[in-house]
Amino acid sequence: MTDRPPDVLVVLTDQQTADAMGAAGNPSLATPHMDALAATGTRYRQAYCAQPLCAPSRASLLTGQLPSALGVTGNEAPDPAPEPLLGRVFAEAGYDCAYGGKWHLPELDLPQGRGFRRIHPAGDDAGLARAAAAFLHRPRPRPFLLVLSFLEPHGICEWARGQQPKTGPLPAPPPVASCPPLPANFPPAPYEARLPRLAQRAWAHTHPTAEWREDDWRRYRQAYYALVERVDAHLGTVLAGLREHRRRTGRETVVVFTSDHGDGAGAHGWNQKWALFEESVRVPFLVSGPGSTPGTVSDRLVSTGPDLLPTLCDLAGIPAPPGLRGRSVRAPEPRGTVVAETRWELPGLDNALGRMIRDERHKYVCYAWGDHREQLFDLAADPGEMVNLAVDARHSVLLDRFRALLAEHCARSGDPFARFLPATQKS
């Protein structure tokens, strides 16, 4: 790294699950620009969003706090609204901070006045890519922080409801035989938690899948991957502009690529987000540029919400704000665990909450109520989460360990989920 502070580019997609890229070994789609970015840096395979829903996840990414600590646990406006830190921290460090695309923070409709200036509105991914390339072409005396928030592949939400994505229609799907196969964990698992299924049925306009057959799900996956490919093409426009910027200025650039949350993509017969399935909470996280090692893959645990801000500060040489619970992905001591939260905004389903905590191998999920509300998986042996170890007495010691970890987290962070902890942890 030179003595000059690096430029910083953060690229967000919307609703992209971690495995939806060629670099992750997925043969069902072509993402040459995401793959090229992974080849120039580090791909973190165990990166988790703070909450699989737009506003809570984005609030976490911009503040370094978990959604429950911010009071942003749904897409509705909290009172008081949180103050995003990312733009302000970098602006105070002398960076020219710009933001383009989807914002989606309740009560905070625009990034202006919060350290950022807007370069392009939401909803037009092609226009956002062109605006980013133009931003990169302009000379400036200061380093920049540029955050680009693309809309796709969120358009799969509209597609599933029989509508066209906001970024434009998709072509008719090919014959089913040419569509991507179903995932190995397509069927619902034995002893799965009841709460997500109740929510799935209660919100049929979001999950219009009750009568879907396997062919419908394969067409869904075809459309989803096509939308990922669409946003990958826009990423290519941005990266071409970045290469020209580097050639012209000789400046180094930190690039971070991630998504606000994932999508069920048919796993467990699930579309959309909310549930704490791997496909919904695990997201891509690529770090390229000074401070990263080209072409590497890391299994280090990352909590993208709390960890993004300290990671960017570390890579830019800026002191991180005090009081953050996250850590840079370059910190000497890696995370031992990562936590994710969820809450459904559904009438008639009070306290539809859940928490996830995982370590290097195992994952524990606890919902506030419902049959089989505790889930325990050995992700090394069972990456598809099909075998719930919580119902097997042979794993009671491991189950108690994760109950204790969740209780410790709630006590340390003031998480209101504490009142829903299993009874054995309340004494």
PDB file of all heavy atoms in Angstrom, residues 73-87:
ATOM      1  N   THR A  73     -35.789  -3.649  12.827  1.00  0.00           N
ATOM      2  CA  THR A  73     -35.972  -5.087  12.668  1.00  0.00           C
ATOM      3  C   THR A  73     -36.997  -5.419  11.595  1.00  0.00           C
ATOM      4  O   THR A  73     -37.362  -6.575  11.418  1.00  0.00           O
ATOM      5  CB  THR A  73     -36.394  -5.725  14.004  1.00  0.00           C
ATOM      6  OG1 THR A  73     -37.611  -5.111  14.453  1.00  0.00           O
ATOM      7  CG2 THR A  73     -35.305  -5.538  15.059  1.00  0.00           C
ATOM      8  N   GLY A  74     -37.470  -4.410  10.879  1.00  0.00           N
ATOM      9  CA  GLY A  74     -38.382  -4.586   9.758  1.00  0.00           C
ATOM     10  C   GLY A  74     -38.186  -3.447   8.786  1.00  0.00           C
ATOM     11  O   GLY A  74     -37.330  -2.567   8.989  1.00  0.00           O
ATOM     12  N   ASN A  75     -38.976  -3.434   7.737  1.00  0.00           N
ATOM     13  CA  ASN A  75     -38.846  -2.381   6.735  1.00  0.00           C
ATOM     14  C   ASN A  75     -39.608  -1.116   7.104  1.00  0.00           C
ATOM     15  O   ASN A  75     -39.565  -0.134   6.370  1.00  0.00           O
ATOM     16  CB  ASN A  75     -39.321  -2.891   5.372  1.00  0.00           C
ATOM     17  CG  ASN A  75     -38.293  -3.806   4.720  1.00  0.00           C
ATOM     18  OD1 ASN A  75     -37.103  -3.742   5.015  1.00  0.00           O
ATOM     19  ND2 ASN A  75     -38.748  -4.662   3.827  1.00  0.00           N
ATOM     20  N   GLU A  76     -40.297  -1.149   8.251  1.00  0.00           N
ATOM     21  CA  GLU A  76     -40.989   0.052   8.693  1.00  0.00           C
ATOM     22  C   GLU A  76     -40.015   0.988   9.396  1.00  0.00           C
ATOM     23  O   GLU A  76     -38.906   0.599   9.773  1.00  0.00           O
ATOM     24  CB  GLU A  76     -42.148  -0.303   9.629  1.00  0.00           C
ATOM     25  CG  GLU A  76     -41.730  -0.743  11.038  1.00  0.00           C
ATOM     26  CD  GLU A  76     -41.309  -2.187  11.140  1.00  0.00           C
ATOM     27  OE1 GLU A  76     -41.195  -2.849  10.094  1.00  0.00           O
ATOM     28  OE2 GLU A  76     -41.093  -2.668  12.270  1.00  0.00           O
ATOM     29  N   ALA A  77     -40.432   2.241   9.598  1.00  0.00           N
ATOM     30  CA  ALA A  77     -39.544   3.246  10.173  1.00  0.00           C
ATOM     31  C   ALA A  77     -39.442   3.084  11.680  1.00  0.00           C
ATOM     32  O   ALA A  77     -40.454   2.963  12.369  1.00  0.00           O
ATOM     33  CB  ALA A  77     -40.065   4.645   9.849  1.00  0.00           C
ATOM     34  N   PRO A  78     -38.232   3.092  12.247  1.00  0.00           N
ATOM     35  CA  PRO A  78     -38.069   3.058  13.700  1.00  0.00           C
ATOM     36  C   PRO A  78     -38.127   4.465  14.281  1.00  0.00           C
ATOM     37  O   PRO A  78     -38.057   5.455  13.559  1.00  0.00           O
ATOM     38  CB  PRO A  78     -36.669   2.467  13.863  1.00  0.00           C
ATOM     39  CG  PRO A  78     -35.923   3.013  12.672  1.00  0.00           C
ATOM     40  CD  PRO A  78     -36.937   3.087  11.547  1.00  0.00           C
ATOM     41  N   ASP A  79     -38.254   4.553  15.562  1.00  0.00           N
ATOM     42  CA  ASP A  79     -38.242   5.844  16.243  1.00  0.00           C
ATOM     43  C   ASP A  79     -37.392   5.690  17.508  1.00  0.00           C
ATOM     44  O   ASP A  79     -37.774   4.965  18.428  1.00  0.00           O
ATOM     45  CB  ASP A  79     -39.666   6.284  16.594  1.00  0.00           C
ATOM     46  CG  ASP A  79     -39.688   7.685  17.211  1.00  0.00           C
ATOM     47  OD1 ASP A  79     -38.713   8.418  16.981  1.00  0.00           O
ATOM     48  OD2 ASP A  79     -40.670   8.002  17.898  1.00  0.00           O
ATOM     49  N   PRO A  80     -36.231   6.329  17.573  1.00  0.00           N
ATOM     50  CA  PRO A  80     -35.673   7.223  16.561  1.00  0.00           C
ATOM     51  C   PRO A  80     -34.940   6.457  15.461  1.00  0.00           C
ATOM     52  O   PRO A  80     -34.592   5.295  15.656  1.00  0.00           O
ATOM     53  CB  PRO A  80     -34.674   8.065  17.365  1.00  0.00           C
ATOM     54  CG  PRO A  80     -34.197   7.104  18.430  1.00  0.00           C
ATOM     55  CD  PRO A  80     -35.395   6.255  18.783  1.00  0.00           C
ATOM     56  N   ALA A  81     -34.727   7.090  14.328  1.00  0.00           N
ATOM     57  CA  ALA A  81     -33.996   6.466  13.232  1.00  0.00           C
ATOM     58  C   ALA A  81     -32.507   6.420  13.561  1.00  0.00           C
ATOM     59  O   ALA A  81     -31.980   7.328  14.199  1.00  0.00           O
ATOM     60  CB  ALA A  81     -34.225   7.247  11.941  1.00  0.00           C
ATOM     61  N   PRO A  82     -31.802   5.371  13.118  1.00  0.00           N
ATOM     62  CA  PRO A  82     -30.363   5.301  13.383  1.00  0.00           C
ATOM     63  C   PRO A  82     -29.593   6.270  12.491  1.00  0.00           C
ATOM     64  O   PRO A  82     -30.067   6.681  11.437  1.00  0.00           O
ATOM     65  CB  PRO A  82     -30.022   3.850  13.018  1.00  0.00           C
ATOM     66  CG  PRO A  82     -31.021   3.500  11.960  1.00  0.00           C
ATOM     67  CD  PRO A  82     -32.283   4.207  12.363  1.00  0.00           C
ATOM     68  N   GLU A  83     -28.435   6.631  12.921  1.00  0.00           N
ATOM     69  CA  GLU A  83     -27.573   7.514  12.146  1.00  0.00           C
ATOM     70  C   GLU A  83     -26.508   6.682  11.436  1.00  0.00           C
ATOM     71  O   GLU A  83     -25.646   6.088  12.085  1.00  0.00           O
ATOM     72  CB  GLU A  83     -26.892   8.536  13.055  1.00  0.00           C
ATOM     73  CG  GLU A  83     -25.857   9.404  12.344  1.00  0.00           C
ATOM     74  CD  GLU A  83     -26.463  10.273  11.246  1.00  0.00           C
ATOM     75  OE1 GLU A  83     -27.665  10.606  11.342  1.00  0.00           O
ATOM     76  OE2 GLU A  83     -25.742  10.612  10.308  1.00  0.00           O
ATOM     77  N   PRO A  84     -26.554   6.590  10.100  1.00  0.00           N
ATOM     78  CA  PRO A  84     -25.514   5.843   9.389  1.00  0.00           C
ATOM     79  C   PRO A  84     -24.135   6.444   9.635  1.00  0.00           C
ATOM     80  O   PRO A  84     -23.960   7.661   9.599  1.00  0.00           O
ATOM     81  CB  PRO A  84     -25.939   5.975   7.925  1.00  0.00           C
ATOM     82  CG  PRO A  84     -27.397   6.265   7.965  1.00  0.00           C
ATOM     83  CD  PRO A  84     -27.598   7.087   9.200  1.00  0.00           C
ATOM     84  N   LEU A  85     -23.177   5.597   9.895  1.00  0.00           N
ATOM     85  CA  LEU A  85     -21.840   6.057  10.229  1.00  0.00           C
ATOM     86  C   LEU A  85     -20.884   6.035   9.047  1.00  0.00           C
ATOM     87  O   LEU A  85     -19.949   6.833   8.999  1.00  0.00           O
ATOM     88  CB  LEU A  85     -21.254   5.181  11.352  1.00  0.00           C
ATOM     89  CG  LEU A  85     -21.901   5.267  12.725  1.00  0.00           C
ATOM     90  CD1 LEU A  85     -21.266   4.247  13.657  1.00  0.00           C
ATOM     91  CD2 LEU A  85     -21.739   6.660  13.305  1.00  0.00           C
ATOM     92  N   LEU A  86     -21.093   5.131   8.086  1.00  0.00           N
ATOM     93  CA  LEU A  86     -20.076   4.869   7.073  1.00  0.00           C
ATOM     94  C   LEU A  86     -19.680   6.139   6.326  1.00  0.00           C
ATOM     95  O   LEU A  86     -18.500   6.490   6.256  1.00  0.00           O
ATOM     96  CB  LEU A  86     -20.581   3.809   6.101  1.00  0.00           C
ATOM     97  CG  LEU A  86     -19.644   3.457   4.940  1.00  0.00           C
ATOM     98  CD1 LEU A  86     -18.289   3.003   5.454  1.00  0.00           C
ATOM     99  CD2 LEU A  86     -20.268   2.392   4.055  1.00  0.00           C
ATOM    100  N   GLY A  87     -20.659   6.843   5.740  1.00  0.00           N
ATOM    101  CA  GLY A  87     -20.326   8.036   4.982  1.00  0.00           C
ATOM    102  C   GLY A  87     -19.710   9.114   5.847  1.00  0.00           C
ATOM    103  O   GLY A  87     -18.753   9.792   5.448  1.00  0.00           O
TER     104      GLY A  87
END
